[in-house]
Amino acid sequence: MFDIVICTIAKESHEAMQLSLKTQRKTIDELSAPVISLKECDIALLPLIGTIDERRAQVILESTLERCTRMQVKKLYIDLSGTIIVSSVVGHHLSQLIGALKMIGIEPILCGIRVEVARNAIQLGFVFKGIKIKSSLSQAITIY
């Protein structure tokens, strides 16, 4: 009887923990790609901060497209000043995001690219042709 009670408590505890982890993961995913309206919902900012792995890059791609469409964004500033590492997978996802944004009529503008990120992107073969790139977010916003 004691074993059954212990197993039941362990199972319920495990299920509660899984539910909590799922809720936390959803919150983290939502915070991973915040699309912030800057001007009457037609101009927005996507600040990317921290390390971006393959899973997060996929979340950023999916949620950014959905949010930009819902907000009817015309121009999206993608601020990379808080990002340090760009792998080939992340560069590929960023390239996909830029291409998808263009396909749905949103003008992407990259800004805040650090020297390390630029060097790594070039070494990996990502040049980002046909897209506006500015050294900082303030420069990008001032010009446009």
Side-chain angles (χ1 to χ4, degrees), residues 36-55:
I36 303 163
S37 176
L38 296 179
K39 183 181 176 186
E40 301 173 11
C41 288
D42 63 342
I43 298 176
L45 167 66
L46 173 63
L48 298 177
I49 299 170
T51 302
I52 301 174
D53 60 8
E54 185 174 355
R55 184 187 180 293

Side-chain angles (χ1 to χ4, degrees), residues 88-106:
S88 60
V89 172
V90 174
H92 178 68
H93 280 285
L94 184 58
S95 185
Q96 283 184 327
L97 174 61
I98 290 167
L101 287 167
K102 287 179 173 183
M103 288 175 107
I104 60 174
I106 299 171

Side-chain angles (χ1 to χ4, degrees), residues 1-27:
M1 183 66 156
F2 184 71
D3 289 344
I4 294 172
V5 170
I6 294 296
C7 285
T8 302
I9 291 172
K11 181 180 177 186
E12 289 177 5
S13 176
H14 177 73
E15 289 171 358
M17 180 94 54
Q18 291 301 316
L19 180 60
S20 176
L21 287 172
K22 185 177 180 180
T23 303
Q24 290 173 356
R25 172 62 73 189
K26 184 177 178 187
T27 301

Side-chain angles (χ1 to χ4, degrees), residues 71-101:
M71 295 168 62
Q72 297 179 336
V73 171
K74 301 286 184 231
K75 186 180 298 188
L76 180 66
Y77 296 104
I78 303 171
D79 183 15
L80 299 172
S81 60
T83 304
I84 299 171
I85 300 170
V86 175
S87 69
S88 60
V89 172
V90 174
H92 178 68
H93 280 285
L94 184 58
S95 185
Q96 283 184 327
L97 174 61
I98 290 167
L101 287 167

Side-chain angles (χ1 to χ4, degrees), residues 109-130:
I109 300 167
L110 287 179
C111 56
I113 300 174
R114 294 176 175 215
V115 173
E116 313 86 50
V117 174
R119 190 176 325 128
N120 197 9
I122 295 299
Q123 289 173 349
L124 293 170
F126 295 103
V127 182
F128 301 113
K129 291 182 180 177

